[in-house]
C-alpha cells in the first residue's frame, strides 16, 4: 500500500478508482435530481436525510474520495509539469483534446464549484433566505423544490451552474475513458468503444444536469 | 608467412568439442580480476559482453551510438538460419555447413563453418529463452521459411525485423549485466586506436564524442565487434556511422586484414534518386519470388514501362539463368543488373535501375495476395520513391551490403595480435567469398554467445591479470598521436567538406573496384584513390573544434581511414586473379560468362599486413584445406 | 523547392538555445528530410559555419537514432514514420519548417537537435529483460507459445526506442516505451516468471529518471513510428495492478564469482 501511495503509477490507480466512484455518485445524483420532473423531489430529499448517521458516513467517504482525487491530481500534475520543462515553438497536437490537456483546470473549477454548491444547497449558507431549511413545503418537509426555483430564476446563479457543468463535462469526457485505461480495463477492441462511451456518458450527464437550471430559468419548471 | 588457423585435428564434427575440452579454464572467483574490452554492441558485441559479464569477467563495452540497441545489426530483415530441421525437410548441421561453404564459393575455413552450423541451434534456443518473439504456427511451434534460394526451410524470423529482435535480445542480456555491475557501458565513444604492448593487445584509445576527450582503457584482452566496412562505397545499406576505423587501426597496429575484396553487393535495393543520396535502402530479396526482373531491349528506351511491349523487354535473369531465373543468387543477379545498366539499358534517374515487375503476379494471384505477402515492402517503396508498385514496376538496383572480409582470426577468433579477438562481421572467418542470406545474424551471435566465452578464457588463463594500466607509455603515446592527428585535421582548413571526399571515394570504389572488376579498372582505382586522399589532407574543411561534439570531425576520421582502406580492397582484388563469389574479375570468366574460380592458385585466405604509410602491405596466405568436402563449381544455371 | 527553416541551435546542456533561421534552396522532392539537412549543412560548412548537429544512423527507420520535432510533431507530419524516412515530397515550396529537439526533462540536450536518451536504456537496465544465462536453456520448441501471443508480443517488441512518445507526451511520460517492453515480455511464457518484478522496477526507474506520468492523452501513439498500440499501456497497467503486494527482492543477477561455495 505504501508503494501505491508513494509511486506515481499507484497514485494514478487511486485517481482512477476515486474518479470512477465519483462518476457513480454523479450518476446517482442526476437520477435523484430527476425526481423533480415527477414532483417528488422534496420527498426524495427527505428520504435521503432519514438516517443522519448513514448520511454522514456517506458524506465522509465521499469527502475522502474527493480529497484523494484532488490531492493526487495536483501532485501528479506538478510531477508532469516538471517532467516537461519548456515548450515547443510550434506545437501540433494529434490526438489529445482540449479536455485531456486541461484536466487540472476543469478539475479545480469543479472543486471550487463544489464548495459553492455545498454551501449553497447542502449547508445553505449562501442565500439562506430561500433555503429549504428555512422554508417548508405543504407537508412540512424542507422545500427543496422551491429553493431551486427561487435560485435558478437568477441569471447569475444559473450561469455559475452552467459553467460548472461545462467544466464537469469536459473533465468527464476525458476522465471516464482515461480511468478505464489506467485500470487496464480495456483492450484493443474495447478501447475505442470505451472512449466513445465515456464521452457519451459525459454528454448525457451534461444534459441531465443542465436541464433543471435551464428549465427553471426559462420558466418551463416553475413553482 | 604461411598463416595457421590453428584448427583442431580430428573429424570435423568433433573438432569443436575437442578444442573445448583442451582449453584452459579460469577459477570463478578469479574471473573478476580480468578486464575485457568489447568494442561495438551489435549482435556480436552485445552477446559477447553479456556472456562474458555473466561469467564474471570485468567488461568494458563501447559503442559510438547513443545506445547499444542502435547498432546496425538492428536493420537485418530476413532471418537467422539454424540446422534445427524442425520442418523435417532434410536439413542438418552438415547440410547447413555445406551450403554455407558452397555459398561462400569455397573460400572459408571448413572447421569454422562447421562449428557455426553446430552452434546455430543453440542460438535459437538462447534467443527464444530471452523472449525473442519468433514467428510461430498455430500449434505454437516455431515457424521456418526458406530464404535466399535455400532448398530447405531453416530460417527463423520475426516479421521482417529479425535483426532488430535478435539485437534487442542481446541488448536485454547486456542491460541485465550492466545492472549487475559486471559490464560498464560507454556510449557515444569511438575507438580510435588499439594499444599493443609486447605483441599483446592491452587496450584501446577512444574519443568521447560529447566532450572530445581522448581517453585510454587498459585491459587483459580486447574484443573487436565493430562490424563491417562496406561503407567504403559511401552509398551502401549500412548505417551512416558504420565504419572501418576500429578494424583499420588494429590493422595499422599489426593485425592482418583478410580478404578485404570480398564485398557483397545486394541485388534488390531502392535505386539512387540523385546526388543528394546519403544511403541505400534494402528491399527484402523475397520480392524476387513473385517479381520478374527486366530492362528494355533497346538502349535509351525512355518510354514508361507499361508502354514497352512484351517483345521489347529483356527478362535477362530468366534468359541467362533459366534454372533459377529471378531467384539467382545475390552476386549473380547483382552483376547481371549492373551489366545491363552499363550497357545503357538501365531505367530511372541516371539509368541506374532495373524493373522488378509484379504485373504478372498480380494478374495471376491477385493484388490482395501480393499485398498480403509484400504489403509492408510496397509501402516502404512508396514512402521512399513516391511510386505505387502495384501500378508500375518497382525499380531496383544493387547496393553494397555486407563485408565478408575483415580482420584475420584463427579458429579461436584471435587475430595474429595476441589478446585481440575479432567477432562478427569485423572478422573474415565464416562466409568465404559470399555470404548466404540469414547467415550474418547466426555468425554474430554464435561468436558472441558460444565461442568467445571459451576461447578467451583459454587465452586469459595463461596470463596474470592487470599487469598494465592506461598510464603505460604506450597508452600515453597512443593518446598523444590521436590528439596530434585531430589537430592536423583541423589545421587543414580547406574548402571541401568531408562528404565531398567521401562521395568521390565511393564513386571510385563503385565504378572501378565494385562489381565487376578488371585489372584495368582496379589499376585505375589505385591511381585515383591516393589522389583523393592527398587532396583530402590538403583541402578538407572541418568546422568547430575537437573539444566538443563535432560530427564533421567524427566523419573526417572515418573517411580518412576509408581513403586508405579503399586502396587495400583494391590491392586485394587486383592480386586475386580469379573470380569467386562476390569477387568477379572480368578476365576470369567461363565462355558463358560464369565466374572462373582458380582453386589451384587462390584457394587461400589472403591476409594483409600493414608495413607503414605509403608502403606496399605484405600479403600472407592461409591455405584452405578441404578435408571433408569436394570443391565443386558453383553453378546456378 | 525552397524552404525556410527555423532550427534549434544549442551549444551544450548549459547553453539556453534558440531558434535560428536558415534558407534551404534547391531541395528536390525525392530527398529525405535528413538529406535536406545534409544539403543545408554542406553549405554551412563551406561558409565556415558550424553545421546543425542531429542524431541519425540507419536512415531506414529501424535504429531509432533520429529524433527531431518537426513543426511540433516528433518525426514530422506524415505519421507512422521516422524522420529519416520522411521525404520532402510531404512539403511544398515556400514552406516554413520548425525543427526542434525532443523535449523532456529526462532528455537533456547535448547539442542542437541531439538529446541524451540514455534514461530509456536505464529503464531497460532496471529490469526490462528475462534473466536468462547464456547456455543451458531448453530446446526452442519445448515451451509452446500460442501464435496470437507470439504475434502480440512481436507487435509490442517493434518499439525502436526513439523517444518520440516522450517528446510528444504533454507530461513527458515514457509509458508507451515501458508498455511495449513490459507487454512484449509478459505475453511470453518465458517472460511471465519475472513479470511482477519487472513491471515494478521499470515503473520506479521511470519516475526516478524524471519522466512524467501517463494521463492518457494518447499523443504517444499518434507519433509512434511503429504504431505501438495503446492497448499495451492498458496491459502495462494491468501488469502493475497484478504486481500489488509483490515484495521486491534485490536483483540477483549477481556474478557467480560472488557466490563462492568453497567458503
Amino acid at each position: 500500500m505504501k508503494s501505491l501511495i508513494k509511486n506515481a503509477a499507484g497514485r494514478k490507480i487511486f485517481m482512477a478508482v476515486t474518479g470512477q466512484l465519483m462518476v457513480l455518485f454523479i450518476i446517482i445524483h442526476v437520477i435523484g435530481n430527476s425526481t423533480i420532473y415527477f414532483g417528488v423531489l422534496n420527498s426524495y430529499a427527505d428520504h435521503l436525510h432519514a438516517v443522519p448517521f448513514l448520511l454522514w458516513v456517506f458524506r465522509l467517504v465521499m469527502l475522502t474520495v474527493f480529497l484523494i482525487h484532488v490531492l493526487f491530481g495536483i501532485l501528479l500534475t506538478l510531477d508532469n509539469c516538471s517532467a516537461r520543462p519548456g515548450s515547443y515553438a510550434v506545437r501540433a497536437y494529434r490526438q489529445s483534446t482540449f479536455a485531456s490537456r486541461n484536466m487540472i483546470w476543469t478539475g479545480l473549477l469543479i472543486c471550487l464549484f463544489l464548495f459553492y454548491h455545498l454551501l449553497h444547497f447542502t449547508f445553505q449558507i449562501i442565500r439562506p433566505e430561500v433555503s429549504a431549511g428555512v422554508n417548508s413545503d405543504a407537508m412540512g418537509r424542507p422545500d427543496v423544490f422551491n429553493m431551486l426555483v427561487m435560485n435558478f430564476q437568477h441569471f447569475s446563479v444559473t450561469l455559475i451552474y452552467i459553467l460548472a457543468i461545462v467544466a464537469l463535462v469536459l473533465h468527464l469526457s476525458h476522465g471516464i475513458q482515461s480511468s478505464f485505461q489506467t485500470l487496464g480495463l480495456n483492450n484493443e477492441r474495447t478501447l475505442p468503444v470505451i472512449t466513445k462511451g465515456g464521452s457519451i456518458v459525459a454528454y448525457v450527464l451534461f444534459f441531465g444536469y443542465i436541464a433543471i437550471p435551464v428549465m427553471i430559468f426559462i420558466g418551463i419548471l416553475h413553482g | 608467412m604461411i598463416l595457421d588457423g590453428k584448427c583442431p585435428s580430428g573429424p570435423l564434427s568433433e573438432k569443436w568439442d575437442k578444442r573445448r575440452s583442451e582449453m584452459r579454464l579460469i577459477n570463478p572467483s578469479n574471473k573478476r580480476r580480468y578486464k575485457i574490452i568489447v568494442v561495438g554492441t551489435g549482435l556480436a558485441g552485445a552477446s559477447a559482453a553479456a556472456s562474458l559479464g555473466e561469467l564474471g569477467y570485468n567488461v568494458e563495452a563501447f559503442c559510438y551510438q547513443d545506445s547499444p540497441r542502435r547498432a546496425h545489426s538492428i536493420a537485418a530483415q530476413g532471418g537467422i538460419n539454424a540446422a534445427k530441421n524442425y520442418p523435417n525437410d532434410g536439413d542438418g548441421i552438415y547440410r547447413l555447413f555445406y551450403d554455407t561453404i558452397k555459398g561462400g564459393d569455397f573460400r572459408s575455413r571448413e572447421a569454422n563453418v562447421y562449428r557455426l552450423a553446430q552452434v546455430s541451434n543453440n542460438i535459437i534456443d538462447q534467443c527464444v529463452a530471452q523472449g525473442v518473439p519468433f514467428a510461430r504456427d498455430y500449434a505454437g511451434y516455431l515457424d521456418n521459411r526458406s530464404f535466399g534460394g535455400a532448398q530447405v526451410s531453416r530460417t527463423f524470423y520475426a516479421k521482417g525485423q529479425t535483426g532488430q529482435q535478435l539485437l534487442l535480445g542481446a541488448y536485454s542480456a547486456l542491460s541485465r549485466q550492466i545492472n549487475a555491475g559486471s559490464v560498464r557501458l560507454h556510449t557515444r565513444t569511438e575507438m580510435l586506436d588499439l594499444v599493443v604492448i609486447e605483441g599483446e593487445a592491452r587496450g584501446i584509445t577512444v574519443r568521447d564524442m560529447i566532450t572530445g576527450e581522448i581517453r585510454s582503457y587498459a585491459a587483459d584482452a580486447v574484443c573487436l565487434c565493430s562490424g563491417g566496412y562496406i561503407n567504403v562505397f559511401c552509398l551502401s545499406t549500412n548505417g551512416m556511422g558504420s565504419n572501418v576505423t576500429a578494424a583499420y587501426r588494429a590493422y595499422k597496429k599489426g593485425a592482418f586484414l583478410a580478404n578485404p575484396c570480398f564485398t557483397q553487393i545486394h541485388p534488390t535495393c531502392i535505386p539512387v534518386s540523385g546526388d543528394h543520396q546519403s544511403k541505400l535502402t534494402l528491399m527484402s530479396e523475397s520480392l524476387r519470388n513473385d517479381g520478374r526482373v527486366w530492362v528494355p531491349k533497346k538502349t535509351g528506351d525512355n518510354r514508361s514501362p507499361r508502354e514497352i511491349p512484351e517483345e521489347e523487354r529483356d527478362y535477362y535473369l530468366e534468359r541467362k539463368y533459366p534454372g533459377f531465373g529471378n531467384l539467382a543468387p545475390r552476386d549473380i543477379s547483382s552483376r547481371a543488373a549492373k551489366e545491363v545498366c552499363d550497357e545503357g539499358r538501365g531505367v530511372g534517374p541516371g539509368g541506374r535501375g532495373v524493373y522488378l515487375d509484379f504485373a504478372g503476379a498480380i494478374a495471376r494471384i491477385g493484388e490482395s495476395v501480393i499485398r498480403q505477402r509484400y504489403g509492408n515492402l510496397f509501402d516502404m517503396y512508396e514512402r521512399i520513391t513516391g511510386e505505387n508498385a502495384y501500378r508500375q514496376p518497382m525499380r531496383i538496383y544493387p547496393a553494397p551490403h555486407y563485408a565478408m572480409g575483415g580482420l584475420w582470426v584463427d579458429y579461436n577468433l584471435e587475430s595474429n595480435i595476441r589478446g585481440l579477438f575479432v567477432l562478427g562481421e569485423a572478422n573474415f572467418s565464416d562466409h568465404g567469398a559470399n555470404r548466404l542470406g540469414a547467415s550474418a545474424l547466426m555468425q554474430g551471435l554464435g561468436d558472441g554467445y558460444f565461442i568467445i566465452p571459451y576461447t578467451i578464457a583459454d587465452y586469459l588463463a595463461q596470463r596474470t591479470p592487470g599487469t598494465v594500466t592506461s598510464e603505460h607509455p604506450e597508452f600515453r603515446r597512443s593518446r598523444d598521436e590521436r590528439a596530434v592527428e585531430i589537430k592536423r585535421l583541423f589545421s587543414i582548413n580547406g574548402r571541401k567538406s568531408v562528404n565531398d571526399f567521401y562521395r568521390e571515394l565511393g564513386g571510385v570504389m563503385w565504378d572501378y573496384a565494385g562489381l565487376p572488376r578488371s585489372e584495368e579498372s582496379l589499376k585505375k582505382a589505385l591511381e585515383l584513390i591516393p589522389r583523393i586522399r592527398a587532396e583530402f589532407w590538403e583541402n578538407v574543411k572541418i568546422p568547430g573544434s575537437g573539444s566538443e561534439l563535432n560530427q564533421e570531425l567524427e566523419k573526417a576520421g572515418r573517411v580518412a581511414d576509408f581513403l586508405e582502406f579503399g586502396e587495400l580492397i583494391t590491392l586485394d582484388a587486383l592480386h586475386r586473379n580469379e573470380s569467386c563469389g562476390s569477387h568477379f574479375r572480368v578476365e576470369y570468366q567461363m565462355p558463358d560468362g560464369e565466374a572462373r574460380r582458380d582453386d589451384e592458385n587462390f584457394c587461400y585466405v589472403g591476409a594483409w599486413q600493414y608495413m607503414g604509410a605509403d608502403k606496399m602491405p605484405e600479403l600472407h596466405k592461409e591455405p584452405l584445406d578441404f578435408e571433408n568436402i569436394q570443391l565443386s563449381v558453383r553453378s546456378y544455371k | 523547392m525552397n524552404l525556410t527553416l527555423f532550427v534549434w541551435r544549442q551549444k551544450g546542456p548549459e547553453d539556453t538555445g534558440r531558434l535560428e533561421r536558415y534558407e534551404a534552396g534547391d531541395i528536390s522532392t525525392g530527398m529525405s528530410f535528413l538529406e535536406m539537412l545534409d544539403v543545408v549543412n554542406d553549405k554551412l560548412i563551406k561558409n565556415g559555419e558550424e553545421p546543425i548537429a542531429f542524431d541519425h544512423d540507419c536512415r531506414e527507420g529501424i535504429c531509432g537514432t533520429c529524433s527531431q520535432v518537426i513543426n511540433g510533431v516528433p518525426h514530422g507530419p506524415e505519421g507512422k514514420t521516422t524522420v529519416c524516412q520522411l521525404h520532402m515530397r510531404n512539403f511544398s515550396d515556400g514552406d516554413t519548417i520548425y525543427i526542434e529537439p525532443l523535449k523532456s526533462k529526462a532528455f537533456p540536450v547535448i547539442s542542437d537537435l541531439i538529446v541524451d536518451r540514455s534514461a530509456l536504456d536505464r529503464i531497460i537496465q532496471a529490469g526490462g529483460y528475462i534473466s536468462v544465462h547464456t547456455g543451458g536453456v531448453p530446446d526452442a520448441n519445448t515451451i509452446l507459445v500460442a501464435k496470437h501471443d507470439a504475434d502480440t508480443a512481436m507487435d509490442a517488441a517493434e518499439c525502436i526506442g526513439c523517444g518520440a512518445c516522450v517528446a510528444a507526451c504533454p507530461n513527458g511520460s515514457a509509458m508507451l516505451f515501458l508498455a511495449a517492453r513490459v507487454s512484449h515480455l509478459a505475453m511470453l511464457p518465458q517472460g511471465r516468471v519475472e513479470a511482477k518484478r519487472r513491471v515494478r522496477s521499470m515503473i520506479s526507474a521511470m519516475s526516478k529518471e524524471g519522466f512524467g506520468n501517463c494521463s492518457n492523452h494518447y499523443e504517444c501513439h499518434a507519433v509512434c513510428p511503429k504504431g505501438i498500440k495503446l492497448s499495451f499501456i492498458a496491459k502495462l497497467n494491468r501488469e502493475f495492478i497484478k504486481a500489488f503486494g509483490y515484495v521486491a527482492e534485490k536483483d540477483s543477477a549477481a556474478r557467480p564469482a560472488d557466490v563462492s561455495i568453497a567458503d
Side-chain angles (χ1 to χ4, degrees), chain A residues 130-200:
Chain A
V130 292
S131 72
V134 176
N135 307 307
S136 304
D137 66 357
M139 296 175 71
R141 298 173 300 206
D143 195 348
V144 178
F145 179 77
N146 244 326
M147 176 174 74
L148 295 189
V149 172
M150 306 287 275
N151 272 294
F152 289 133
Q153 280 169 352
H154 291 274
F155 176 72
S156 55
V157 177
T158 308
L159 186 68
I160 289 173
Y161 275 76
I162 289 176
L163 289 179
I165 292 164
V166 168
L168 179 71
V169 167
L170 284 174
H171 202 77
L172 293 187
S173 68
H174 176 71
I176 294 177
Q177 61 90 9
S178 178
S179 68
F180 278 86
Q181 172 82 351
T182 299
L183 294 175
L185 297 174
N186 61 19
N187 57 35
E188 210 183 322
R189 198 170 41 80
T190 55
L191 174 69
V193 180
I194 290 175
T195 306
K196 197 158 269 171
S199 301
I200 291 171

Side-chain angles (χ1 to χ4, degrees), chain A residues 48-57:
Chain A
L48 279 184
H49 294 76
V51 190
F53 172 72
L54 279 183
L55 181 71
W56 275 103
V57 168

Side-chain angles (χ1 to χ4, degrees), chain B residues 80-86 93 116-134 136 141-142 144 154 156 166 169-170 442 445-446 449-450, chain C residues 130-143 145 188 190-191:
Chain B
I80 177 165
N81 285 334
K84 284 279 193 189
N85 192 29
Y86 283 153
I93 290 170
L116 179 65
Q118 281 176 310
V119 300
S120 69
N121 292 341
N122 305 62
I123 296 170
I124 302 300
D125 299 341
Q126 186 67 33
C127 293
V128 166
Q130 283 170 346
V132 172
F134 283 123
R136 292 187 179 255
Y141 292 94
L142 289 160
N144 290 115
R154 62 160 71 105
F156 294 79
L166 296 178
M442 176 169 70
L445 289 178
Y449 283 134
F450 298 112
Chain C
I130 293 174
S131 300
V132 55
H133 291 234
T134 302
V137 297
D139 181 89
N141 260 345
T142 308
I143 302 170
V145 183
L188 300 168
Q190 291 86 356

Side-chain angles (χ1 to χ4, degrees), chain B residues 387-465:
Chain B
E387 292 172 9
N388 179 343
Y390 297 103
R391 301 279 154 272
Q392 62 190 99
M394 274 183 189
R395 289 173 297 109
I396 55 165
Y397 198 61
H401 180 52
Y402 186 87
M404 278 75 66
L407 290 170
W408 182 86
V409 289
D410 63 15
Y411 186 72
N412 284 357
L413 302 182
E414 189 177 9
S415 77
N416 58 303
I417 297 180
R418 298 246 52 199
L420 175 67
F421 293 81
V422 190
L423 284 65
E425 193 180 346
N427 75 26
F428 86 102
S429 69
D430 294 354
H431 304 298
N434 179 47
R435 179 178 66 78
L436 289 185
S439 289
L441 305 182
M442 176 169 70
Q443 188 221 342
L445 289 178
D447 287 358
Y449 283 134
F450 298 112
I451 298 170
I452 194 73
Y454 296 94
T455 59
I456 208 165
D458 186 54
Y459 170 77
L460 292 173
Q462 302 167 57
R463 274 157 186 79
T464 320

